[in-house]
Amino acid sequence: MGVTFLTQGTYDSGDSINHYLYARYAFEHPINFLESWSKPLVVQVMAIPAQLGLRAVMVLQCVLVAASAWLAYRSACMLRLPWPWLAILFCYASPDYFRIQFSGLTEPLFSLFLIAGVALALCGRAGLGAAVVSFLPFARSEGFILLGVYGFYLLLSRNWRALPLLGLGFVVYGVAGLFVYDDFLWVLTRNSYPLRNPNYGHGAPMHFIKSLPNTIGWVLFGLFWLGGLRMIWEWLRPQFRLQPRLFTADLLLVYGNVVVFITAHAIFWTYGIFGSLGLVRVLCSIVPLMSLVALRGVAMLSALFPNPAARQRIRLILAVAVVGFLFCGSRVAFRLERDFGRASDQLLIDAAVRWANRQGPMRYVTYAHPYAALPLQVDPFGPKRPDLIAVHSSDWPLPVGTYIFWDEWYAIKEKQVPFELLHNNPSYRLRWLGAVPRNRRKPTADSVRIAVFEKIK
């Protein structure tokens, strides 16, 4: 948690900031508490810490990750896996899961509710686990799919009474929606992820499998596959199962959730549906479960040695290798400036805002980049703030004197405002332009540009 106060990064400059802003201004705009994209559960959990700033949200995220790692450890104990404390180490040694603590993103909360539901089922409290996972869709939309996995487990384990509890979250938020939207089914009718969206792309089916090392590192990647092979081996040989009930829970709730989650995202990305951008960070949602799979891989390797002392040495070597990988210099390991330093686009926006403040009070400002709201200290949900999309409108033009903070990603992708549209229009004057390398250790590579235009007529 101490790293929170040292890091200058925010994991990314887009969704990480947007989720924080939804929570930060939720009390001024209560509709944020029931907004599909921002995820109601995430806003509610973050809303109070967000009043203290993004750093307080990062502290909260560290607590969520710590709780998830501890529940992974408890699950490993109940599954009778050797060296269960390695589950905690594996969570923190997953590079992307460690980095995502320092953000406003949804994955840490989702991972906590998911591993909590699994841990409760393992300890014989599947009903309470069903109630917990019923809120997964309100942290991330994949939760709807994983409810099916949990429901299938309840059916196989003949826990009929727990099945209705899988609808608890939907009922709670449905009733809330009656007061806000006059619509019990608002979660479905106001879904922010339509089947197809032309602004999103598609890619290769194996994208997420190939990208797993980016999330958990190469050493854990190998242990993860060994753990998968070990489960297949036990499934084919029932005589080696310690307890049938625990084996079923492990097979469906640990391995089943991992397989279904990755497969679902592979399908979304392949066919370009449900707003998939192919973002690898979504895999952080299942890191606590993957740590259990990797732990079974450790058990498989150590079982090859009959001598207890040799088994201990193997486990110790693997633990050192997992941690050591983080500092080996690999592209997917930790890199100080990239992972914990301030991003180039944020540095440029800070510089642009400092310049604009020196010009005197800004009566009107507009921007597309989410991070700009922080140094500008503006409420992004305020009804009177001009929208950059107004550049295209003759009926509702931007007011004269508006400062436009243009960036080369959000302004183009989300508002369809390229640099030339403003630069070649006599109604706008370029007042400030800055550029820095995206990767400041490679100054000849791709650069980031931020410009400030003023509406002059």
Side-chain angles (χ1 to χ4, degrees), residues 29-44:
H29 307 280
I31 194 68
N32 286 10
F33 284 110
L34 288 183
E35 209 284 333
S36 174
W37 182 87
S38 63
K39 301 306 171 195
L41 186 62
V42 174
V43 174
Q44 288 151 24

Side-chain angles (χ1 to χ4, degrees), residues 159 185 254 367 400:
N159 201 331
L185 301 176
V254 177
Y367 57 87
V400 172

Side-chain angles (χ1 to χ4, degrees), residues 351-368:
V353 172
R354 286 196 298 270
W355 172 86
N357 286 331
R358 289 196 295 269
Q359 311 312 304
M362 291 178 284
R363 187 177 179 187
Y364 302 107
V365 296
T366 186
Y367 57 87

Side-chain angles (χ1 to χ4, degrees), residues 41 173 373 409:
L41 186 62
Y173 282 105
W409 178 257

